[in-house]
Amino acid sequence: MNCALALQTLPRVESDEEVVRIVDEVIAYIDSTGLEYYVGPFETTVEGDLEQIMEIIKFSQLKAIEAGAPSVSSYIKLVYSPEKHILTTDEKISKYHK
């Protein structure tokens, strides 16, 4: 693993229920990739290789549109280091979730 992504997907829809439904579909897509991920209250963190992460960014947008959002905004934080260890989500936060 050489990349970590924090992805917040915000479908432009009228109701909170629709936001939750569409975001749930995006998270289901992320789950289907088999990569390690952590769902937080504002964003989902995904760990993998750069190529896998870039696909997740792309297909998360497409999944939100496919699920019914007329448009979608995403906020992305990306850490990439081809030669160095990237701290995993577990290494960063496990001490707080016992």
Side-chain angles (χ1 to χ4, degrees), residues 6-9 38-45 75 77:
L7 174 65
Q8 181 182 33
T9 301
Y38 177 85
V39 177
F42 293 103
E43 62 193 14
T44 300
T45 304
Y75 296 92
K77 293 182 264 184

Side-chain angles (χ1 to χ4, degrees), residues 46-59:
V46 187
E47 301 166 341
D49 292 327
L50 180 62
E51 295 79 19
Q52 296 169 308
I53 295 300
M54 297 308 282
E55 281 191 22
I56 285 180
I57 293 168
K58 176 183 176 181
F59 287 110

Side-chain angles (χ1 to χ4, degrees), residues 10-31:
L10 299 170
R12 302 286 184 184
V13 292
E14 295 296 319
S15 70
D16 290 343
E17 292 80 14
E18 271 298 279
V19 169
V20 170
R21 182 187 68 77
I22 292 169
V23 169
D24 284 347
E25 291 205 29
V26 172
I27 293 169
Y29 157 69
I30 292 169
D31 181 63

